[in-house]
Structure formats: structure tokens, C-alpha cells
Amino acid sequence: MERPVIPLGKPRGERADAARNRERLLDTARGMIAEHGAEKVTMDGLAERAGLGKGTVFRRFGTRAGIFRALLDADERRFQEQVLSGPPPLGPGADPVARLIAYGRARIAFLLDHHVISRAALDRAQPVPAGDASVSQIHIRMLLDLAKVPVPDLNGLSIQLTAALEGPLLLYLSMPETSTPPSMDAGRYLGDSWQALIERITH
Amino acid sequence: MERPVIPLGKPRGERADAARNRERLLDTARGMIAEHGAEKVTMDGLAERAGLGKGTVFRRFGTRAGIFRALLDADERRFQEQVLSGPPPLGPGADPVARLIAYGRARIAFLLDHHVISRAALDRAQPVPAGDASVSQIHIRMLLDLAKVPVPDLNGLSIQLTAALEGPLLLYLSMPETSTPPSMDAGRYLGDSWQALIERITH
DNA sequence: AACATAAACGGACTTTACCCCGCTTGCAAC
DNA sequence: GTTGCAAGCGGGGTAAAGTCCGTTTATGTT
């Protein structure tokens, strides 16, 4: 009879059908991207192919970009695991400068791998899939701190380094010459540049 | 009677009415942005308010983002004039490192001023209004070269510095703390960070 | 098992970017 | 002034994003 004063210890987690449908939608989206490219993924199309209503798709992901962000999140989580507890030099254990360099190279490879989805996750209404960049930024700041880089403003530097790392790929700033899609060469090129930048900054 | 082999020395420049209409559209767009913000500028609305057809708007600017790019271009040109032939330290005449710092500060101020339009000019189909970034990049590369910064890859560094400079504002990467729109403080903050970064890189 | 309720669902509806194509017009050559 | 025509114009048409709201359903409670 009596109603507990605070009846919601947990906000009553996601319903089972909802979870199932989310997976189904993500799978379907992956399939559509593989088949026809990210550009061709429409909300109607996705809904229909997944056998669900359009309203459901929007309820789940809010916006078109949201789908791609969700897709990224999964891989992003795996990436972070490597960074947080994988083997050195990416993971903990190595010299912070070496880790910074390794992080940059790994991140570039990751963004290169995911650049189609990353770009599709961009959204002029809420442009930065904040998760990605922030995590990079926090990690970079931590490593700079560990490396004892003497700099007046650690926060500012980490913002800029994050931008220097992710900007070229997210903004698709000019690769060396070509305007063709990024290749493995580009990864090597950007990785080397990153290393040079870090070495220069850390003396 | 005889038809010249190459009758089109010049591709017959823009027609007078077209030029007039472009100006009219840009003015109208500026007005609408000032009144209701960039988000509220729709192609139909713009066309109607300018007393023109929707088709005309698209013929002129190609895409919605194109309008904002055109708007930026005008101011961008004035900015570049300052950089190319204004007084030092922004213009020529000062020490390259000082110019690099001045350029960054000026650019940050410019982007802050125009951040609404800049952001609106972003377009997931062709994301970087290539003009802006490239010009920054070329200028930065030139100054780095003048400064004789000994770096294995000048091009790579200039790409990264450009991203470091423009990325935070274009991507709206996290400002210090707030998620509120960028303020003058942000400009100072980013400017100081930029200066520190440049000083560190150039020893 | 029946119930209450919040969450999820679906699809019609609205809005907006962008395309198409027949009509009009500025411009230059005669 | 007439004429040829490429360029410009306009507005109806399409497709896709995002909103709304009435209906259905999972889940915790009695």
C-alpha cells in the first residue's frame, strides 16, 4: 500500500525489446553502409529494412548523425580499452612521450579506418561527437602532465594538440596533394608529422 | 560571316542581372541572419524575401552551405588583405615568429566573430570550405619557412598548426569549461594558448 | 492472473534542401 | 533595330529529416 518515498533506485533500465531493436538497427545500418555507403543510409530506408517504424529509429538515435555516433561508440570503446589497459607503448607502462606518440599514431589509424562513419557523424546542429574528441583530449592532457612538459597552460595545449591530431581527418584538411580519399600513406604521413610535433614540443 | 576558331576569349562574364541578384541575395541573407539567426535562414524564405525564385538561389549558391560560404568569402578577403599588406606584426615587416603569433590571434578573433556563419558553412557533403583553411595553411607554412624552423616536414607541421588553430572553433571543441557560445574570454584564452604553442615550437 | 504505468512503437504529417525544365532576357553581332 | 542564344529565372516536384500522438506492450506490483 505504502509508496516508497524514493521508488526509483534505478531508473528502470532499457526495456528488452528496445535493446533488441537497437541492436537490430545498428546491424542493419552496418549492412547498408557496407553495401551502398554511408550517404545512402536514410532513416526511412533503415526503418523499413529493419522492419521497424521510422518513429522508432528516431526515438533510439535522435538524429541521423546519432546513428553513426552510436556505431562509432562501439568501436571507440574497444579503442579506449587498448589505450587504457592494452600493452605499451599504447597502454600504460611506457614513457609518457612514447605513449603520446603511440597514441597519435593509433588514433590516426583509427580515424582513418572510421573516417566515413566519423564524417557522417558530424552534424551541423551539434557538430562534435563530443565523446571522441574529449576522450582524446583528456588522455593527451594526462600524458602531457605525466611527461612534465613545462607549459603555462596544459589545458590549452591539450585542446590544440587534439585539434592538430583529429582536425586534419575530421575536417578533411588537405592531405599532401591529392583530394582522393585518405590512404594508408596518409596515415603514415600524418603519424610521422605527429611524432615530429610531439618530439618538438617535449624537447 | 566567318566564325572565329576560338570565339570565347573570355567565357563571357557574369550577366549584370545575375550580379545584381547575387548582391541582393547576400544582403537579404545578412539581414535574416541578423534578425533571426543563421539556423532560421531557409532557401524558400530567402528567395521569397529577396523577391526571387527558389531556383535562382540554388543556381547562385548551389547549396545552403554555399550561401554562408559566399558570405564568409567577402569578409575573408578583407581579412587576407590585412594579412598580406596591412601593418605589422600581422602584415609583412615583422619577425616571422611575431607574425605567426599575430596571425593566430587575428584568425581566432576572426573565427570567433564569424563562428555562427562559419559553422553554418560546414557541410557534410563537402565539409571544409576549402578556401579558409587552405589560405591559413599556406600562410602558416610561409611564416614557418621564413622563421627557419628546423623541422623535417614543413607541410605536415603547417597542416597540424592550421588544425590546431581553426579546429577548436570550427569543431567547437570544448572551450575551457562552459558549453556556452564562445565569448571574448575564449578568444583571449585560445590566443594565449596559440602563442605558447608557437613559442614552444620555434624555441 | 490481473492491473497500472511508463516506455516503446508506427506511420501520417510537416518542413526543408535540392532538382528539373520550360520560359524569359541580357548581350553582342550584324 | 533585329536576331540568336547562352545565361538566367521561377516555381512546382521529390526525397529525406524530424515531429506528433494515438496505440500497443513489457514489466513491476498486488
Side-chain angles (χ1 to χ4, degrees):
Chain A
M1 207 79 259
E2 60 188 36
R3 194 146 58 93
V5 185
I6 300 173
L8 353 120
K10 53 203 149 176
R12 207 189 213 184
E14 184 178 53
R15 248 164 64 170
D17 53 346
R20 197 167 353 105
N21 284 341
R22 178 176 51 240
E23 285 315 311
R24 186 198 198 87
L25 283 168
L26 289 177
D27 278 356
T28 307
R30 268 188 277 265
M32 292 177 78
I33 292 171
E35 266 178 54
H36 308 105
E39 303 302 300
K40 290 288 180 52
V41 177
T42 75
M43 302 305 257
D44 291 306
L46 177 59
E48 187 179 7
R49 181 154 156 181
L52 296 168
K54 189 159 44 148
T56 305
V57 179
F58 277 95
R59 155 170 293 265
R60 276 300 121 215
F61 301 108
T63 124
R64 195 188 114 102
I67 290 173
F68 296 101
R69 236 176 283 144
L71 243 28
L72 266 185
D73 271 3
D75 292 357
E76 185 80 33
R77 228 183 306 283
R78 245 178 301 149
F79 175 75
Q80 282 175 41
E81 235 163 75
Q82 289 298 306
V83 172
L84 260 53
S85 58
L90 188 55
D95 164 66
V97 173
R99 286 183 72 192
L100 217 35
I101 291 169
Y103 180 77
R105 286 190 185 275
R107 186 71 188 162
I108 287 165
F110 179 86
L111 289 174
L112 227 38
D113 253 18
H114 294 77
H115 91 279
V116 172
I117 296 182
S118 292
R119 295 277 312 285
L122 245 34
D123 179 356
R124 98 173 157 292
Q126 184 77 37
V128 165
D132 309 4
S134 292
V135 168
S136 256
Q137 191 190 320
I138 288 167
H139 190 64
I140 286 172
R141 179 165 55 220
M142 184 200 70
L143 291 177
L144 285 173
D145 198 23
L146 283 181
K148 294 261 195 304
V149 181
V151 70
D153 180 4
L154 199 58
N155 201 47
L157 183 59
S158 60
I159 289 176
Q160 290 170 326
L161 285 183
T162 306
L165 183 59
E166 315 221 338
L169 287 160
L170 285 187
L171 294 175
Y172 211 43
L173 271 176
S174 60
M175 296 293 121
E177 271 306 68
T178 79
S179 67
T180 61
S183 63
M184 257 172 305
D185 294 341
R188 176 115 91 141
Y189 178 74
L190 288 172
D192 289 348
S193 298
W194 170 257
Q195 173 161 0
L197 178 61
I198 292 302
E199 283 170 348
R200 175 160 282 274
I201 282 177
T202 58
H203 277 212
Chain B
M1 209 76 260
E2 59 189 36
R3 194 144 60 91
V5 184
I6 301 174
L8 352 122
K10 53 205 150 174
R12 208 189 212 184
E14 185 178 54
R15 248 164 64 169
D17 52 346
R20 198 169 349 107
N21 284 341
R22 178 176 49 240
E23 286 315 312
R24 184 197 200 88
L25 283 169
L26 288 178
D27 279 354
T28 307
R30 267 187 278 264
M32 293 177 77
I33 291 171
E35 267 177 54
H36 308 105
E39 302 302 301
K40 289 288 180 52
V41 178
T42 74
M43 302 305 258
D44 291 327
L46 176 59
E48 186 179 8
R49 183 156 156 181
L52 296 168
K54 203 184 352 175
T56 304
V57 179
F58 277 95
R59 156 170 291 266
R60 275 303 120 215
F61 301 108
T63 116
R64 197 188 111 102
I67 290 172
F68 296 101
R69 235 175 285 145
L71 243 28
L72 267 185
D73 271 3
D75 293 357
E76 185 81 33
R77 229 183 304 283
R78 244 177 301 149
F79 176 76
Q80 282 175 41
E81 236 162 73
Q82 289 298 307
V83 172
L84 261 54
S85 56
L90 187 57
D95 165 65
V97 174
R99 287 183 72 192
L100 216 36
I101 292 169
Y103 180 77
R105 286 191 185 276
R107 186 72 189 162
I108 287 166
F110 178 86
L111 288 174
L112 226 38
D113 254 18
H114 294 77
H115 91 279
V116 172
I117 297 182
S118 293
R119 294 277 312 284
L122 246 36
D123 179 357
R124 100 173 156 289
Q126 185 77 39
V128 165
D132 310 3
S134 291
V135 170
S136 255
Q137 190 191 320
I138 287 167
H139 190 64
I140 286 172
R141 179 165 54 219
M142 184 200 70
L143 291 177
L144 285 174
D145 198 23
L146 284 181
K148 295 259 196 304
V149 180
V151 70
D153 180 4
L154 198 59
N155 200 47
L157 183 59
S158 59
I159 289 177
Q160 291 170 325
L161 287 183
T162 305
L165 183 59
E166 315 221 339
L169 287 160
L170 285 187
L171 294 174
Y172 211 41
L173 270 177
S174 61
M175 296 292 120
E177 269 307 67
T178 79
S179 69
T180 61
S183 64
M184 256 172 306
D185 294 341
R188 178 116 90 138
Y189 178 75
L190 288 172
D192 289 348
S193 298
W194 170 258
Q195 174 162 0
L197 178 62
I198 292 301
E199 283 170 348
R200 176 162 281 275
I201 283 177
T202 58
H203 276 210

